[in-house]
């Protein structure tokens, strides 16, 4: 185990504690501070950390964006967003009042070198006033086209390197990290011209979810599951990341992205890696990230023919969600009436290694599906010999519910009471909320705290970001050159029929949450 990574082993009896390890004192600069992510997730997550004594006693949060705003206005809008649209739960007024004076606003244009020079002077001032020891965390949550310029400006203003060997400078870069393999490589080059890889934290908020990290605990913190975790016992794996929301107000971004770039290249492939990786030698950044990379490198690349056979795309038409009529994607504000953007993807991955040879990993994600649910369903082989003739014995399933009903259940056959030998599938359930008395904390709070402590285990390395793009590039290339028949699923349904055929041809069916 690395010095930076501390695993807190707690029994269920000792209860849930929202407190993470205290971070180093530092200045946190949020680029894109007036944007949605900053208001909905980042500032609320920082408040949550402060409220739970998981920030150092001295810190400063500097919001950088183009819009002119005073510190007070920034504090007020941040407070309102944290109370009204964030996921942190009820805000404690006393704790907010203690937190708000550490929020500062800095108006500046990303193109203006002078703005970065002035930012440097402001940070030096805050360092002195607050004892921040020269530690700086830059959080890049601007529109992606700004990333290269921003990084260059930080380098040019001398802000990318720590002032001495006791202080640190780190940068968190939001997704989308590029829009294909080539642009991701260029972005890596631009970033690594200015920062050292050890300073770079590429964020995928799925890795901050407790239930995603629990995949490792489930597999490697217990003795009884890992022996079953392979081709000998597992028939196939299904990963579903379903959303009932549509594109909302994000059409401008989503029209340039689509479900492969928005969900598969990052979140879904993270889940595949966490299910499929080999046991790392220890729970530290190098060991875990090496094993995740190996999974991505073992997934069979898609040839153009394979894309047609193993990948399905969809776009929602009008339909009904939770008894409300909703428009189709092409009728959403800001979407082109002949848009070819996919809002649904299903795919079958083959992992060519000893553990998983012959075990398909089916994944799917989509907007405007009947419910919001992310789950991993693992179907085991049927018993090799049917002793109970005539009884319908279902295979065992292991369900890992990532959200929103966080938990794990295992199904098995049990004898129905009565004189006859009848078997029914029942399940054993673990529910986070019941066991620990609370749901998960914000993924962003976990990841921000990790970064401030210098723990990169749950962040992406340059090589794995590129490996993930290398896998999805062929899909995007084939689709770019062909015209889809959209819309092909109604809002409120489980996606196009072709997604069912993808499984059906091997006699399998999707497990719908
Ligand atoms: C984001 C995508 O990265 O993840 C969104 O851009 C998506 O389109 C979101 O809705 C899903 O995250 P979560 O945590 O709600 O599953």
């Amino acid at each position: 185990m690395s010095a930076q990574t501390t695993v807190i082993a707690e029994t269920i009896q000792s209860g849930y504690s929202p407190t993470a390890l205290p971070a180093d004192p530092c200045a946190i600069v949020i680029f894109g501070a007036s944007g949605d992510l900053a208001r909905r997730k980042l500032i609320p997550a920082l408040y949550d950390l402060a409220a739970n004594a998981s920030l150092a006693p001295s810190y400063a949060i500097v919001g950088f964006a183009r819009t002119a705003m005073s510190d007070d206005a920034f504090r007020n809008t941040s407070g309102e967003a944290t109370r009204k649209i964030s996921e942190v739960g009820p805000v404690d007024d006393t704790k907010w009042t203690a937190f708000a004076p550490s929020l500062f606003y800095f108006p500046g244009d990303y193109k203006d070198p002078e703005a970065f020079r002035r930012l440097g002077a402001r940070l030096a001032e805050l360092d002195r006033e607050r004892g921040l020891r020269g530690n700086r965390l830059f959080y890049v949550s601007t529109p992606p086209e700004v990333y290269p310029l921003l990084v260059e400006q930080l380098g040019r203003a001398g802000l990318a390197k720590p002032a001495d060997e006791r202080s640190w400078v780190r940068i968190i870069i939001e997704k989308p990290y590029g829009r294909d393999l080539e642009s991701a490589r260029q972005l890596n080059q631009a970033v690594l011209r200015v920062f050292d890889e050890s300073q770079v934290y590429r964020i995928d908020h799925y890795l901050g979810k407790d239930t995603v990290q629990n995949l490792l605990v489930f597999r490697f913190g217990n003795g009884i599951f890992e022996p079953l975790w392979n081709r000998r016992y597992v028939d196939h794996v299904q990963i579903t990341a379903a959303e009932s929301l549509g594109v909302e107000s994000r059409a401008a971004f989503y029209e340039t992205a689509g479900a492969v770039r928005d969900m598969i290249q990052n979140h879904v492939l993270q889940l595949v890696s966490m299910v499929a990786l080999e046991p790392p030698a220890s729970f530290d950044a190098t060991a875990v990230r090496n094993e995740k990379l190996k999974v991505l490198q073992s997934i069979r690349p898609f040839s153009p023919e394979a894309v047609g056979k193993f990948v399905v795309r969809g776009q929602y038409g009008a339909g009904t969600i939770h008894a409300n009529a909703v428009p189709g994607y092409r009728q959403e504000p800001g979407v082109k009436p002949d848009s070819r953007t996919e809002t649904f993807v299903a795919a079958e991955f083959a992992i060519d290694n000893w553990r998983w040879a012959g075990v398909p990993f089916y994944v799917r994600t989509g907007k405007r599906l009947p419910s919001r649910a992310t789950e991993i369903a693992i179907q085991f082989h049927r018993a090799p010999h049917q002793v109970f003739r005539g009884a319908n014995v279902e295979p065992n399933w292991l369900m890992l519910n990532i959200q929103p009903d966080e938990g794990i259940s295992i199904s098995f056959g049990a004898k129905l009471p009565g004189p006859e030998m009848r078997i029914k599938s029942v399940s054993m359930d673990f529910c986070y909320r019941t066991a620990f008395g609370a749901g998960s904390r914000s993924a962003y709070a976990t990841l921000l705290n990790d970064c401030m402590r210098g723990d990169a285990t749950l962040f992406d390395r340059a090589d794995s970001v590129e490996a993930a793009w290398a896998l999805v590039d062929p899909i995007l290339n084939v689709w770019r050159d062909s015209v889809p028949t959209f819309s092909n699923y109604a809002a409120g349904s489980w996606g196009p029929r072709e997604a069912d055929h993808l499984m059906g041809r091997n006699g399998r069916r999707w497990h719908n949450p």
Side-chain angles (χ1 to χ4, degrees), residues 90-240:
V91 168
D92 177 320
D93 285 338
T94 316
K95 288 182 176 172
W96 180 267
T97 309
F99 171 74
S102 299
L103 287 172
F104 303 92
Y105 189 76
F106 192 92
D109 188 332
Y110 301 113
K111 294 199 202 89
D112 177 14
E114 179 55 21
F116 286 80
R117 203 198 52 71
R118 282 191 292 109
L119 174 67
R122 182 75 180 109
L123 291 177
E125 205 173 84
L126 287 168
D127 260 353
R128 280 193 302 278
E129 283 168 20
R130 304 195 147 222
L132 305 179
R133 302 192 204 151
N135 296 331
R136 284 156 195 190
L137 165 55
F138 297 114
Y139 198 117
V140 180
S141 70
T142 61
E145 53 283 7
V146 181
Y147 296 179
L149 172 65
L150 189 48
V151 166
E152 200 186 311
Q153 297 281 31
L154 287 171
R156 220 184 288 153
L159 292 171
K161 296 288 173 234
D164 57 53
E165 71 274 6
R166 277 168 307 150
S167 52
W168 52 258
V169 174
R170 299 180 188 132
I171 182 166
I172 299 186
I173 304 184
E174 257 302 329
K175 71 179 267 282
Y177 199 88
R179 51 174 291 105
D180 54 19
L181 177 57
E182 188 45 39
S183 56
R185 273 192 186 135
Q186 283 171 10
L187 181 55
N188 273 333
Q189 282 162 9
V191 171
L192 297 175
R193 266 198 294 276
V194 175
F195 291 93
D196 183 76
E197 176 66 35
S198 63
Q199 297 176 280
V200 184
Y201 290 67
R202 297 171 193 80
I203 194 165
D204 182 318
H205 77 277
Y206 265 53
L207 290 179
K209 293 181 192 275
D210 284 328
T211 41
V212 174
Q213 291 165 50
N214 191 47
L215 278 167
L216 298 185
V217 176
F218 185 77
R219 289 186 58 193
F220 308 131
N222 294 293
I224 60 173
F225 302 116
E226 196 52 24
L228 308 178
W229 213 262
N230 56 55
R231 63 193 302 271
R232 197 153 167 220
Y233 297 98
V234 174
D235 176 78
H236 74 278
V237 176
Q238 301 185 15
I239 298 179
T240 296

Side-chain angles (χ1 to χ4, degrees), residues 175 205-206 209 243 250 262-263 267 367 372 403:
K175 71 179 267 282
H205 77 277
Y206 265 53
K209 293 181 192 275
E243 296 184 89
R250 296 169 72 222
D262 190 41
M263 294 290 293
H267 306 325
K367 299 229 180 255
R372 173 176 184 255
Q403 61 187 24

Side-chain angles (χ1 to χ4, degrees), residues 23-75:
D24 291 347
C26 64
I28 302 143
V29 182
I30 303 177
F31 293 107
S34 51
D36 222 39
L37 186 78
R39 288 178 334 118
R40 274 177 195 275
K41 305 278 185 182
L42 304 182
I43 294 181
L46 288 164
Y47 159 74
D48 189 32
L49 288 172
N52 288 299
S54 305
L55 285 184
S58 52
Y59 58 90
I61 299 161
V62 181
F64 183 114
R66 278 175 293 209
T67 329
M69 208 191 303
S70 67
D71 286 344
D72 276 343
F74 183 54
R75 288 168 189 160

